[in-house]
Every structure is written in structure tokens, then in C-alpha cells.
Amino acid sequence: MKISFKTYLNDRLKQVDFHGQLTYPLYVQVTYERKPIYFKSYYFELFSKPRYLLTVPGVGSKAPTIDEIIERENEVISFIIEKYKDNFSLELFKTAYTYYSKDLCDIMEKGFIDYLHTFFWDEGNPAFGDVLLQGCKNVIAFDVVRDFKRIFNKSLYEKLVTNSLYYAPPYLPLYGFMTKTKRWPMLILTVMEFNHPDTRNRFYEYASKYYSDRPADELLERALKWIHRI
């Protein structure tokens, strides 16, 4: 069985903006028994989002590199080929790629932002809720909540976090767990990673330590349910 793949900048298409720089979109080619399929890189789309541009006032901006994105692609593609090497097909590969490559933090972030919007409306601060709903499209929601801890009074902050464990996707514990092992700009936690038993065990330990308001096994179960929805 002969399987090969490559990632490449598709110069047959128009250049696109990648954090202020023009580049050809990143594509993937997978070939099996001399038959190829081509598709746009999931991670190129993900890391093209405005919130992955780090801007420090007075210093400048920094964005993920194409090489870093290619490294992520190579990792998940190699994993899928190895996992399904005994019954491989291009159709199976494409389905598995769509599933295993997904970043859980990205998937859950919109639901968490909707929760923030509702929370501040319920607290009598609708304009602030609307600002978050719009502004968090370009800013990582976890970083916003981290700043809340320094800005808000303790009771409001704790209410926001505790309520989120019941009424929002488990975005906060998953993103917080991810930051313990990842460095910018590769701040992602993929389905591929979370399906590994060791990752789940480490998440359980993290949730037990930092989220005592809700049992860690419940948070793990909620995370797994979200994965099953993909």
C-alpha cells in the first residue's frame, strides 16, 4: 500500500491576506494508489483568524508562521495514515482528517462567548455584554476572562467562572489545561490529542486542582460529549 502526502502553497489560486502579508493558501495533497485528493489546510484557516495575531503596543505584531502550520498538518496527517493503514481509503482519510484535526478550543469558543454575552445581560450590563460579543471575535476569550480576574471584584469573577461550568461549553478548563503544555502561537488542543488516554488523565488532574466547584469527572464527560458532536 502506497500512501504519500505533501503540504504546499497553492499558487494556482489568488493570494490571500495572512495577518497583513499576502500568501498563497496552504493546501494538502494525499495520494493513495496513484489517486490524489486536494484540500485546503484546516490549520491555515484556523491560524488566519485575527485573534492569532499578537500585537503588543509600542513593540509590534507577530503572527504564526507557515512552517509552524505545516508542522501541525504533518503531525495529524501522519497520525491518521498510521491509524488507518490497514483499511485506508481516501474517503476514510478525509473524514478522519475533518474529525481529528479540529481544535476543541476554537470549536467551543463561540458558545462560551455567547455565554459571556448572556451573563452580562443578566447582570444588568447589556452594553458590556454586546462589546464582548463583538470584540471577542478578534481576541481570545480565555485571555479576556483572565483579565477579568484582575479587574472585577472577586464575587463577580467567581460567579462568572462557576456559572460557566454549568451553562457554557467547558472552554475555560480545556483552554487553561492546554496553556500548561503549549506555547504561543500553537495554542490549540486537537481532538487527536484529547483522544489520547494520557491527555485525558492530565486534564482530569488539572480540572481537579483548578476547578473544585464541579467534579473533574463531570468536566471530562462534558468535554467528551462536545467531541462526539463534531
Side-chain angles (χ1 to χ4, degrees), residues 78-87 100:
S78 298
F79 165 81
I80 294 169
I81 290 175
E82 177 62 25
K83 181 177 180 65
Y84 295 106
K85 61 183 179 181
D86 294 332
N87 61 332
Y100 285 108

Side-chain angles (χ1 to χ4, degrees), residues 153-172:
N153 63 60
K154 184 178 179 181
S155 61
L156 180 61
Y157 173 78
E158 290 181 348
K159 181 179 181 180
L160 183 152
V161 172
T162 300
N163 285 3
S164 77
L165 302 180
Y166 294 89
Y167 304 116
Y171 168 80
L172 282 183

Side-chain angles (χ1 to χ4, degrees), residues 9 14-25 44 66:
L9 295 174
K14 291 183 178 180
Q15 290 186 314
V16 296
D17 179 85
F18 184 76
H19 301 300
Q21 300 291 326
L22 285 178
T23 182
Y24 293 107
F44 182 80
I66 297 297

Side-chain angles (χ1 to χ4, degrees), residues 1-2 6 22 37 52-53 63 78-79 97 100 102 105 108 128 130 134 159 169-170 193 219:
M1 181 177 67
K2 179 65 174 178
K6 68 175 182 178
L22 285 178
I37 57 172
Y52 287 101
L53 178 65
S78 298
F79 165 81
Y97 175 86
Y100 285 108
K102 285 291 191 296
C105 298
M108 296 184 188
F128 188 68
D130 290 348
Q134 300 302 319
K159 181 179 181 180
E193 294 171 304
L219 290 176

Side-chain angles (χ1 to χ4, degrees), residues 154-197:
K154 184 178 179 181
S155 61
L156 180 61
Y157 173 78
E158 290 181 348
K159 181 179 181 180
L160 183 152
V161 172
T162 300
N163 285 3
S164 77
L165 302 180
Y166 294 89
Y167 304 116
Y171 168 80
L172 282 183
L174 278 170
Y175 200 102
F177 165 71
M178 178 270 296
T179 62
K180 296 298 180 181
T181 57
K182 304 291 185 66
R183 293 183 178 274
W184 188 92
M186 295 293 113
L187 295 178
I188 60 174
L189 180 62
T190 65
V191 173
M192 177 188 71
E193 294 171 304
F194 203 75
N195 275 345
H196 196 286

Side-chain angles (χ1 to χ4, degrees), residues 3-229:
I3 307 170
S4 63
F5 72 91
K6 68 175 182 178
T7 53
Y8 64 100
L9 295 174
N10 193 342
D11 57 9
R12 294 184 178 183
L13 301 177
K14 291 183 178 180
Q15 290 186 314
V16 296
D17 179 85
F18 184 76
H19 301 300
Q21 300 291 326
L22 285 178
T23 182
Y24 293 107
L26 187 68
Y27 267 64
V28 177
Q29 175 185 331
V30 178
T31 303
Y32 172 57
E33 294 184 342
R34 298 183 180 180
K35 180 181 178 181
I37 57 172
Y38 309 88
F39 53 93
K40 183 178 287 188
S41 160
Y42 166 75
Y43 294 113
F44 182 80
E45 290 287 288
L46 177 65
F47 288 106
S48 293
K49 294 183 177 183
R51 65 175 178 269
Y52 287 101
L53 178 65
L54 180 64
T55 302
V56 180
V59 177
S61 300
K62 186 178 180 182
T65 67
I66 297 297
D67 284 344
E68 288 170 322
I69 296 172
I70 289 174
E71 185 177 348
R72 296 282 72 75
E73 286 292 351
N74 291 345
E75 181 181 17
V76 71
I77 292 171
S78 298
F79 165 81
I80 294 169
I81 290 175
E82 177 62 25
K83 181 177 180 65
Y84 295 106
K85 61 183 179 181
D86 294 332
N87 61 332
F88 189 87
S89 72
L90 292 176
E91 293 78 12
L92 176 60
F93 172 85
K94 196 64 173 68
T95 299
Y97 175 86
T98 301
Y99 176 69
Y100 285 108
S101 63
K102 285 291 191 296
D103 172 28
L104 295 176
C105 298
D106 181 70
I107 290 172
M108 296 184 188
E109 188 168 45
K110 183 182 183 304
F112 182 75
I113 293 170
D114 290 341
Y115 159 76
L116 291 178
H117 183 229
T118 302
F119 177 86
F120 284 103
W121 267 78
D122 291 345
E123 289 294 311
N125 299 287
F128 188 68
D130 290 348
V131 167
L132 290 173
L133 184 64
Q134 300 302 319
C136 280
K137 295 176 182 178
N138 297 331
V139 180
I140 295 174
F142 182 87
D143 293 342
V144 174
V145 174
R146 184 176 54 188
D147 284 354
F148 285 168
K149 188 173 185 179
R150 295 190 291 266
I151 298 171
F152 293 167
N153 63 60
K154 184 178 179 181
S155 61
L156 180 61
Y157 173 78
E158 290 181 348
K159 181 179 181 180
L160 183 152
V161 172
T162 300
N163 285 3
S164 77
L165 302 180
Y166 294 89
Y167 304 116
Y171 168 80
L172 282 183
L174 278 170
Y175 200 102
F177 165 71
M178 178 270 296
T179 62
K180 296 298 180 181
T181 57
K182 304 291 185 66
R183 293 183 178 274
W184 188 92
M186 295 293 113
L187 295 178
I188 60 174
L189 180 62
T190 65
V191 173
M192 177 188 71
E193 294 171 304
F194 203 75
N195 275 345
H196 196 286
D198 181 61
T199 303
R200 295 184 186 184
N201 290 338
R202 288 187 288 111
F203 173 76
Y204 182 91
E205 294 172 358
Y206 171 85
S208 299
K209 181 177 180 180
Y210 291 98
Y211 289 90
S212 57
D213 291 328
R214 189 159 189 184
D217 56 346
E218 290 186 17
L219 290 176
L220 177 59
E221 182 63 25
R222 290 199 71 210
L224 294 174
K225 286 182 178 179
W226 271 85
I227 292 176
H228 292 324
R229 293 177 185 176

